[in-house]
Amino acid sequence: MPNSPAPTRSPGTSRSTSATIPPNILRYLTVVAAEYGVDVRPLLTEVGLDEAVMRSAALRVSYRQGSAVIRRAVELTGDAHLGLRVGAAQHLTAWGLLGFAQMAAGTLRDAVETGVRFQNLSGAMVVWSAGQEAAGYVLRAELPDPALDPAVAVFLAEEAFASVVALTRLSSGDEFAPQSVEFAFPAPRDTGPFADLFRCPVRFGAGENRMVFPTVWAHRPMPGRDPVTYAAVMELLEEQTTSRRDQQELLEVLEVSIAQSLPDVPPFVEQARRHASSERTLRRRLADCGTTYEAVVDGVRRERVEQLLRRPKLSLRDIARQAGFSDVRALRRAVHRWHGVAPGQLRGEIVER
């Protein structure tokens, strides 16, 4: 079968500190972890996500917040393949209007491509792409951060494909099985859970994370297809995407401005002036993004500290100064708040990873 034009792709998430991801994965992670007797709520609180905040439909979390919670949840549950369980537990209703659009799409391929197109509205923590290839209709999941903690990388790849299979079976038929699934991470000791969930050949240690759909399934009509409803919901999704893009651009501009200014931090009034805005308006725009200027500054400082800790010749005093902290004690307090450990221990963990 000849290759078609370039696969459908969306830019996915950007800077790791930007709060732009709907917390769907974290919500399902909370439920699944509880089945292991693990309460994830303290982990959420550590990264600034208390129960009241998590119930907000407008909430957005950063890639860094999500990764931190996932890493600790995997450790506490002792389940190296927690991502499979979290992905398999999901339902399209968690994706809001996007899930509704997918159910109203014409074919399964249309539903997948709708998900790829609007992936930033779904809470995805991978970057999706899809297209027709010689092997069949292929869906890829790319990790946005090459230096990601291996345990988090495994979780996200597993969650990604497990959720696709679970949602396809819920919307199109329980008999669905991919033609094949490939994971970039090494083969686990027990591959049984993968065989049980995917019901197809699963390859590990591959060059990328990808799933191949059987052609008959890719072109299969969706049970809930409705072209009128689909068109109407797509208009709403376009509006949401424009709003989200504006929010993401605002956060990225602020982050770059702060990062370039460290160790000094631009006063908020100066940021408002740069955006030709009043302080009140800029604070409202940040509130619409689910964050504050102080939280953005904190995220940029955290990223800078973690970068500097990778340089063994830098002392903690040097790091504190370059990241804009008043002294080493302030740096220690911040690192403990972010990671629950001292800077020296965090440096050792970063070097080991």
Side-chain angles (χ1 to χ4, degrees):
M1 182 180 298
N3 290 345
S4 65
T8 303
R9 177 178 288 272
S10 180
T13 56
S14 57
R15 289 177 59 86
S16 60
T17 55
S18 296
T20 58
I21 306 170
N24 299 333
I25 293 176
L26 299 186
R27 289 192 178 112
Y28 280 99
L29 175 61
T30 301
V31 174
V32 174
E35 298 173 0
Y36 290 79
V38 172
D39 187 356
V40 176
R41 289 174 297 179
L43 305 180
L44 296 171
T45 301
E46 285 178 14
V47 297
L49 302 172
D50 59 31
E51 286 188 82
V53 170
M54 285 293 289
R55 286 195 294 268
S56 170
L59 173 65
R60 299 292 179 265
V61 302
S62 70
Y63 192 83
R64 186 177 296 279
Q65 285 175 309
S67 298
V69 174
I70 289 168
R71 182 182 302 111
R72 289 290 292 135
V74 171
E75 293 173 358
L76 293 173
T77 61
D79 186 349
H81 300 291
L82 188 63
L84 286 181
R85 280 74 176 179
V86 173
Q90 295 183 37
H91 197 283
L92 275 168
T93 53
W95 294 16
L97 283 175
L98 176 56
F100 192 48
Q102 290 178 287
M103 288 188 285
T107 65
L108 179 57
R109 174 172 177 165
D110 294 334
V112 170
E113 293 183 351
T114 299
V116 171
R117 179 177 175 183
F118 296 106
Q119 60 185 282
N120 279 352
L121 301 177
S122 71
M125 292 181 67
V126 297
V127 180
W128 291 107
S129 62
Q132 187 67 44
E133 301 181 14
Y137 187 68
V138 178
L139 178 64
R140 286 183 170 81
E142 179 184 352
L143 298 173
D145 182 1
L148 194 63
D149 181 291
V152 178
V154 169
F155 176 98
L156 293 179
E158 291 179 349
E159 186 278 333
F161 286 149
S163 63
V164 169
V165 168
L167 298 176
T168 300
R169 287 174 181 159
L170 285 171
S171 61
S172 301
D174 186 61
E175 68 275 19
F176 170 76
Q179 182 173 304
S180 64
V181 174
E182 297 179 2
F183 288 107
F185 57 81
R189 276 181 257 177
D190 181 12
T191 60
F194 294 85
D196 292 342
L197 175 63
F198 294 112
R199 307 175 198 164
C200 72
V202 180
R203 178 187 168 205
F204 300 93
E208 57 187 349
N209 300 305
R210 77 172 197 165
M211 174 185 292
V212 181
F213 285 77
T215 301
V216 65
W217 273 94
H219 297 289
R220 183 166 175 164
M222 294 291 287
R225 62 190 179 281
D226 186 315
V228 175
T229 298
Y230 180 75
V233 178
M234 289 292 281
E235 288 185 13
L236 295 174
L237 290 174
E238 289 288 1
E239 292 174 5
Q240 286 191 5
T241 298
T242 300
S243 174
R244 182 71 53 79
R245 188 180 300 118
D246 292 343
Q247 292 177 357
Q248 190 164 328
E249 288 175 355
L250 170 64
L251 292 174
E252 289 174 355
V253 167
L254 286 176
E255 287 173 348
V256 170
S257 172
I258 295 164
Q260 291 177 340
S261 300
L262 286 177
D264 298 321
V265 175
F268 186 74
V269 63
E270 173 63 18
Q271 295 286 20
R273 187 190 65 76
R274 291 178 185 178
H275 287 81
S277 168
S278 68
E279 293 181 62
R280 180 177 180 180
T281 298
L282 184 55
R283 287 197 187 280
R284 178 182 56 74
R285 291 183 65 194
L286 286 171
D288 291 340
C289 298
T291 190
T292 63
Y293 184 60
E294 293 73 20
V296 176
V297 171
D298 193 57
V300 173
R301 275 181 167 157
R302 174 174 175 166
E303 187 171 44
R304 177 63 57 85
V305 167
E306 291 172 4
Q307 291 171 347
L308 295 173
L309 285 172
R310 291 186 172 90
R311 298 163 59 182
K313 293 184 179 180
L314 287 180
S315 68
L316 292 184
R317 180 173 297 177
D318 292 333
I319 293 173
R321 177 172 44 79
Q322 291 186 38
F325 289 98
S326 57
D327 52 34
V328 173
R329 287 181 299 176
L331 171 66
R332 292 183 188 277
R333 288 195 297 270
V335 171
H336 192 274
R337 173 167 53 83
W338 295 330
H339 295 278
V341 298
Q345 182 178 341
L346 178 61
R347 169 175 264 168
E349 293 175 358
I350 289 175
V351 171
E352 182 180 351
R353 289 202 296 266

